[in-house]
Amino acid sequence: MTLCIGVIGTGMIGRDHTRRIQNVIAGAEVTALSDVNRDSARAVQADLAPTAEIFDDGRALIASDLVGAILVCSWGGTHEEYVLAAIEASKPVFCEKPLATTAEGARRIVEAEAKHGTRLVQVGFMRRYDAGYRMLKRAIEEETGAPLMVHAAHRNPAVPEQYVTPMAIHDTLIHEIDVLRWLLDDDYVSAQVVFPRRSPHAHAALADPQIVLLETAKGVRIDVEVFVNCRYGYDIQCEVVGEEGLARLPDPMSVAVRRNAQARNPVLTDWKDRFVESYDIELADFVAAAKCGTASGPSAWDGYVAAVTSDACVKAQETGAVEPIELPTRPALYD
Ligand code: NAP
């Protein structure tokens, strides 16, 4: 059986995911496209999905018999409405991060899915599918003993003018928030943000770099450096220190060159290159579960926890204080 997929939002990531469904992943086909920018949907149709129908309205796409599952790849502010509509239609839905732009919005999705009774939502936290993070998780389970500390860094070479201080949390740290919680099998209880001397490459509305300090329920202390004008490359680092040893996320594979009395390893510059295979695997996982009428991988609850944690981190940016992170009881659906 071929899974018929409707894609809402045909910008950068919507186009890329359409390419994956059409050219990389077996067993699924894009049969419908929708974008407020109809020209963008038409261009994706012409380039990648010539038989797909174009819908002016995302909700009409979700309701259509042409579609058995949905990818929500539009602007973040629209995600909640489309995910709730997909749950109402009992159709599996892959939602790019963020699940919703507010914790209350993400909570409404959790409540709707819990009421539905089976999982339908997968959130686009693709790092959980990265081979390096998976090896790191295995090393934590089998080698390091119980984790005590995590030292992590998320560095981008540069960001556009419109990237401002809270976006270091909502757009950048959000990936560490999810993947570290998954790695440690733990929940956060507090957050603090401290600011080193500002990089001269950061514009006036951006405090860069930042160091986010998280504490977990099991007492693990985490420091994440977010530095989005580091200049030298796109660099993701993660080191877990445990009771018996230490494990470190491997760098992406690259050819080491020795020349002119120097040994060099290239560093990536584009985040899309760093996680390209993870996106393929996360969507294959979505397709496999959607064919069975359900969803797996990062859940609506994970999206909600990320939203609550992000809000606490942004508050901590503003107050300079240690901000508590409190969660309600997790619905049994997510056990
Ligand atoms: P983008 O290039 O701006 O594309 C978003 C598209 O959605 C645009 O064509 C936009 O049209 C359209 N749109 C806006 N409102 C809509 C609506 N109500 N219904 C249908 N389409 C609508 O953005 P992007 O970079 O692809 O990002 C899209 C989402 O994916 C964001 O939430 C982003 O955070 C997420 N993302 C996740 C990752 C990841 O690593 N997991 C990476 C990249 C992006 P207009 O341009 O006319 O507004």
Side-chain angles (χ1 to χ4, degrees):
M1 178 199 83
T2 300
L3 180 72
C4 296
I5 293 186
V7 179
I8 301 176
T10 52
M12 192 273 297
I13 201 90
R15 168 179 275 271
D16 206 30
H17 285 338
T18 300
R19 176 191 62 76
R20 285 193 172 85
I21 302 292
Q22 298 296 82
N23 301 340
V24 182
I25 294 163
E29 182 189 351
V30 173
T31 51
L33 296 161
S34 178
D35 196 294
V36 283
N37 178 350
R38 200 179 162 87
D39 288 343
S40 152
R42 270 214 207 90
V44 171
Q45 180 196 43
D47 295 346
L48 294 163
T51 58
E53 185 148 323
I54 295 183
F55 288 77
D56 286 327
D57 174 16
R59 294 185 72 110
L61 175 149
I62 292 166
S64 168
D65 287 343
L66 284 176
V67 165
I70 296 110
L71 304 190
V72 177
C73 304
S74 45
W75 169 66
T78 65
H79 292 185
E80 179 188 348
E81 177 195 351
Y82 291 137
V83 173
L84 286 173
I87 295 170
E88 207 180 310
S90 297
K91 293 185 182 178
V93 54
F94 174 90
C95 180
E96 264 306 341
K97 60 89 186 160
L99 178 60
T101 46
T102 63
E104 300 77 51
R107 181 86 191 265
R108 282 189 284 274
I109 291 172
V110 163
E111 281 164 3
E113 192 180 36
K115 194 163 160 222
H116 178 267
T118 51
R119 276 198 56 192
L120 289 172
V121 182
Q122 179 178 337
V123 182
F125 288 131
M126 74 295 177
R127 284 199 194 178
R128 295 186 184 201
Y129 295 93
D130 174 69
Y133 274 111
R134 291 197 161 214
M135 285 190 274
L136 182 57
K137 187 164 175 63
R138 209 173 315 126
I140 294 168
E141 285 160 4
E142 295 173 5
E143 304 270 5
T144 63
L148 304 168
M149 294 173 281
V150 177
H151 310 296
H154 189 146
R155 304 191 186 108
N156 292 60
V159 285
E161 270 301 294
Q162 61 268 28
Y163 186 108
V164 291
T165 299
M167 292 172 78
I169 307 297
H170 289 305
D171 288 288
T172 302
L173 185 80
I174 188 89
H175 287 292
E176 270 77 18
I177 287 175
D178 181 69
V179 82
L180 298 181
R181 193 177 144 259
W182 169 80
L183 265 184
L184 300 174
D185 192 19
D186 206 347
D187 267 317
Y188 304 118
V189 293
S190 75
Q192 186 183 10
V193 181
V194 294
F195 298 97
R197 189 170 67 78
R198 185 191 293 251
S199 159
H201 300 299
H203 60 76
L206 174 61
D208 186 49
Q210 309 179 19
I211 299 170
V212 181
L213 303 168
L214 294 161
E215 184 186 3
T216 75
K218 293 177 190 165
V220 179
R221 290 286 183 161
I222 299 169
D223 56 272
V224 186
E225 170 200 314
V226 179
F227 186 16
V228 295
N229 285 285
C230 80
R231 287 308 193 252
Y232 72 86
Y234 180 73
D235 195 11
I236 301 300
Q237 298 291 326
C238 185
E239 183 179 277
V240 179
V241 183
E243 291 173 357
E244 309 298 333
L246 176 152
R248 187 176 293 146
L249 182 71
D251 280 328
M253 194 164 60
S254 66
V255 173
V257 175
R258 286 163 190 257
R259 190 162 180 242
N260 293 337
Q262 286 188 331
R264 284 185 284 116
N265 276 88
V267 176
L268 294 175
T269 54
D270 189 336
W271 56 269
K272 285 189 237 72
D273 297 330
R274 174 67 180 83
F275 292 108
V276 66
E277 280 145 15
S278 320
Y279 291 117
D280 293 346
I281 302 167
E282 75 170 350
L283 277 193
D285 198 30
F286 174 70
V287 167
K291 283 185 169 194
C292 304
T294 185
S296 63
S299 68
W301 177 256
D302 297 319
Y304 168 67
V305 173
V308 171
T309 307
S310 297
D311 286 353
C313 291
V314 170
K315 190 165 180 209
Q317 284 179 327
E318 292 160 1
T319 63
V322 177
E323 296 294 340
I325 299 172
E326 281 155 347
L327 295 168
T329 308
R330 185 173 60 185
L333 177 63
Y334 305 104
D335 285 347

